[in-house]
Amino acid sequence: MEAPAPDLGRGKASHDPLPEAARDMDRDDLSRLVRDANYNGPSYQEMADRSEAAGHPVSKPYFQKLATNAITTAPTPDRLRGIAAALRKPVAVIQRAAAIQFLDYQATELSGYDDDVRVIVAHLAGMDPRERKRWRRMLEAADRADEE
Protein backbone atom coordinates (compact mmCIF):
# COMPACT_ATOMS: atom_id res chain seq x y z
CA MET A 1 0.00 0.00 0.00
CA GLU A 2 1.31 3.45 -0.93
CA ALA A 3 1.75 6.04 1.79
CA PRO A 4 -0.31 9.17 1.23
CA ALA A 5 1.52 12.22 -0.02
CA PRO A 6 2.18 14.80 2.66
CA ASP A 7 0.55 18.20 2.55
CA LEU A 8 3.40 20.45 1.56
CA GLY A 9 3.03 22.71 4.55
CA ARG A 10 1.96 25.67 2.44
CA GLY A 11 5.13 27.65 2.94
CA LYS A 12 6.01 26.39 6.41
CA ALA A 13 8.69 23.84 5.54
CA SER A 14 12.10 24.85 4.30
CA HIS A 15 12.84 21.52 2.62
CA ASP A 16 11.09 19.79 -0.27
CA PRO A 17 9.33 16.64 1.00
CA LEU A 18 8.62 15.29 -2.48
CA PRO A 19 10.39 12.21 -3.69
CA GLU A 20 13.26 13.10 -5.97
CA ALA A 21 11.68 11.22 -8.88
CA ALA A 22 8.58 13.42 -8.70
CA ARG A 23 10.65 16.61 -8.79
CA ASP A 24 12.77 15.40 -11.68
CA MET A 25 9.97 14.35 -14.02
CA ASP A 26 10.07 16.24 -17.29
CA ARG A 27 6.34 15.87 -17.79
CA ASP A 28 4.50 16.59 -14.57
CA ASP A 29 2.57 19.72 -15.50
CA LEU A 30 -0.71 18.71 -13.87
CA SER A 31 1.04 17.27 -10.83
CA ARG A 32 3.01 20.49 -10.46
CA LEU A 33 -0.21 22.56 -10.53
CA VAL A 34 -1.60 20.45 -7.68
CA ARG A 35 1.65 20.67 -5.68
CA ASP A 36 1.87 24.43 -6.18
CA ALA A 37 -1.76 24.94 -5.16
CA ASN A 38 -1.23 22.83 -2.04
CA TYR A 39 1.97 24.66 -1.17
CA ASN A 40 0.30 28.06 -1.53
CA GLY A 41 -3.05 27.37 0.09
CA PRO A 42 -5.59 24.59 0.25
CA SER A 43 -4.95 21.19 1.75
CA TYR A 44 -5.72 18.09 -0.30
CA GLN A 45 -8.93 17.72 1.71
CA GLU A 46 -9.94 21.29 0.85
CA MET A 47 -9.26 20.52 -2.80
CA ALA A 48 -11.48 17.42 -2.55
CA ASP A 49 -14.21 19.51 -0.89
CA ARG A 50 -14.04 22.16 -3.63
CA SER A 51 -14.31 19.56 -6.36
CA GLU A 52 -17.30 17.94 -4.66
CA ALA A 53 -19.01 21.32 -4.20
CA ALA A 54 -18.59 21.92 -7.94
CA GLY A 55 -20.33 18.63 -8.71
CA HIS A 56 -17.20 16.82 -9.93
CA PRO A 57 -15.86 14.98 -6.87
CA VAL A 58 -12.19 14.06 -6.75
CA SER A 59 -10.93 12.29 -3.64
CA LYS A 60 -8.23 13.54 -1.29
CA PRO A 61 -6.08 10.43 -1.99
CA TYR A 62 -6.30 11.13 -5.74
CA PHE A 63 -4.98 14.67 -5.22
CA GLN A 64 -2.20 13.29 -3.02
CA LYS A 65 -1.20 10.71 -5.63
CA LEU A 66 -1.44 13.23 -8.45
CA ALA A 67 0.84 15.63 -6.56
CA THR A 68 3.57 12.99 -6.33
CA ASN A 69 3.17 11.89 -9.95
CA ALA A 70 1.84 8.48 -8.84
CA ILE A 71 -1.12 8.63 -11.25
CA THR A 72 -0.21 6.91 -14.51
CA THR A 73 -3.37 7.35 -16.61
CA ALA A 74 -4.96 10.55 -17.78
CA PRO A 75 -7.87 11.82 -15.68
CA THR A 76 -11.37 11.58 -17.14
CA PRO A 77 -13.00 14.78 -18.42
CA ASP A 78 -15.23 14.86 -15.33
CA ARG A 79 -12.22 14.49 -13.05
CA LEU A 80 -10.43 17.29 -14.96
CA ARG A 81 -13.41 19.56 -14.23
CA GLY A 82 -13.16 18.60 -10.56
CA ILE A 83 -9.44 19.36 -10.49
CA ALA A 84 -10.08 22.72 -12.16
CA ALA A 85 -12.69 23.58 -9.52
CA ALA A 86 -10.39 22.44 -6.73
CA LEU A 87 -7.47 24.53 -7.99
CA ARG A 88 -9.72 27.42 -9.03
CA LYS A 89 -8.23 27.43 -12.50
CA PRO A 90 -9.89 27.40 -15.93
CA VAL A 91 -10.67 23.92 -17.24
CA ALA A 92 -8.59 24.66 -20.35
CA VAL A 93 -5.48 25.17 -18.19
CA ILE A 94 -6.05 21.83 -16.45
CA GLN A 95 -6.76 20.05 -19.74
CA ARG A 96 -3.56 21.39 -21.29
CA ALA A 97 -1.47 20.39 -18.28
CA ALA A 98 -3.00 16.89 -18.35
CA ALA A 99 -2.38 16.59 -22.09
CA ILE A 100 1.28 17.48 -21.62
CA GLN A 101 1.75 15.17 -18.64
CA PHE A 102 -0.15 12.11 -19.83
CA LEU A 103 -0.17 12.37 -23.62
CA ASP A 104 3.20 14.06 -24.28
CA TYR A 105 1.26 16.84 -26.02
CA GLN A 106 3.26 19.79 -27.28
CA ALA A 107 1.48 22.67 -29.00
CA THR A 108 3.42 23.38 -32.16
CA GLU A 109 0.77 24.94 -34.38
CA LEU A 110 -0.73 28.42 -34.30
CA SER A 111 -3.89 28.36 -36.40
CA GLY A 112 -4.47 31.25 -38.75
CA TYR A 113 -0.89 32.52 -38.82
CA ASP A 114 1.84 32.10 -41.39
CA ASP A 115 5.21 30.44 -40.81
CA ASP A 116 6.95 33.73 -39.97
CA VAL A 117 4.56 34.47 -37.11
CA ARG A 118 4.82 30.91 -35.77
CA VAL A 119 8.64 31.09 -35.77
CA ILE A 120 8.59 34.45 -33.99
CA VAL A 121 6.13 33.22 -31.34
CA ALA A 122 8.15 30.04 -30.75
CA HIS A 123 11.32 32.13 -30.38
CA LEU A 124 9.73 34.56 -27.95
CA ALA A 125 8.18 31.75 -25.90
CA GLY A 126 11.66 30.46 -25.09
CA MET A 127 12.80 33.79 -23.67
CA ASP A 128 12.65 34.85 -20.07
CA PRO A 129 10.07 37.55 -19.24
CA ARG A 130 12.66 40.35 -19.18
CA GLU A 131 13.82 39.53 -22.70
CA ARG A 132 10.23 39.31 -23.98
CA LYS A 133 9.45 42.71 -22.48
CA ARG A 134 12.49 44.19 -24.25
CA TRP A 135 11.38 42.71 -27.59
CA ARG A 136 7.85 44.02 -27.06
CA ARG A 137 9.19 47.55 -26.50
CA MET A 138 11.33 47.28 -29.66
CA LEU A 139 8.35 46.11 -31.74
CA GLU A 140 6.13 48.87 -30.37
CA ALA A 141 8.84 51.47 -31.08
CA ALA A 142 9.20 50.19 -34.64
CA ASP A 143 5.43 50.37 -35.07
CA ARG A 144 5.34 53.97 -33.82
CA ALA A 145 8.22 54.91 -36.15
CA ASP A 146 6.31 53.49 -39.13
CA GLU A 147 3.28 55.60 -38.21
CA GLU A 148 5.31 58.85 -38.17
Side-chain angles (χ1 to χ4, degrees):
M1 182 173 151
E2 293 178 45
D7 279 349
L8 296 182
R10 292 173 291 291
K12 297 173 197 158
S14 62
H15 67 285
D16 188 353
L18 289 174
E20 194 150 330
R23 284 194 314 272
D24 294 339
M25 292 294 293
D26 287 338
R27 291 183 5 231
D28 73 335
D29 290 52
L30 185 56
S31 294
R32 191 174 326 113
L33 286 175
V34 172
R35 285 193 305 271
D36 290 349
N38 175 253
Y39 183 80
N40 292 312
S43 68
Y44 296 121
Q45 184 60 55
E46 290 169 321
M47 290 180 200
D49 293 344
R50 287 178 183 175
S51 68
E52 186 171 355
H56 306 284
V58 178
S59 70
K60 175 185 173 182
Y62 188 87
F63 280 111
Q64 291 172 316
K65 289 179 182 177
L66 186 56
T68 59
N69 233 352
I71 301 295
T72 58
T73 58
T76 64
D78 190 58
R79 194 169 263 166
L80 289 173
R81 287 188 284 280
I83 295 168
L87 302 185
R88 295 188 172 149
K89 295 209 178 278
V91 174
V93 169
I94 302 304
Q95 289 170 325
R96 183 177 185 282
I100 292 168
Q101 180 166 333
F102 295 101
L103 305 174
D104 198 20
Y105 170 80
Q106 294 297 321
T108 57
E109 186 64 32
L110 292 170
S111 309
Y113 295 100
D114 64 17
D115 287 339
D116 290 336
V117 171
R118 284 193 290 271
V119 167
I120 292 167
V121 169
H123 181 71
L124 291 173
M127 292 181 176
D128 70 43
R130 242 185 27 238
E131 289 178 296
R132 281 195 309 269
K133 190 174 185 179
R134 185 173 69 85
W135 276 91
R136 179 178 178 168
R137 286 193 301 251
M138 288 188 317
L139 289 169
E140 288 170 347
D143 192 42
R144 282 192 302 273
D146 287 345
E147 290 174 359
E148 295 173 0

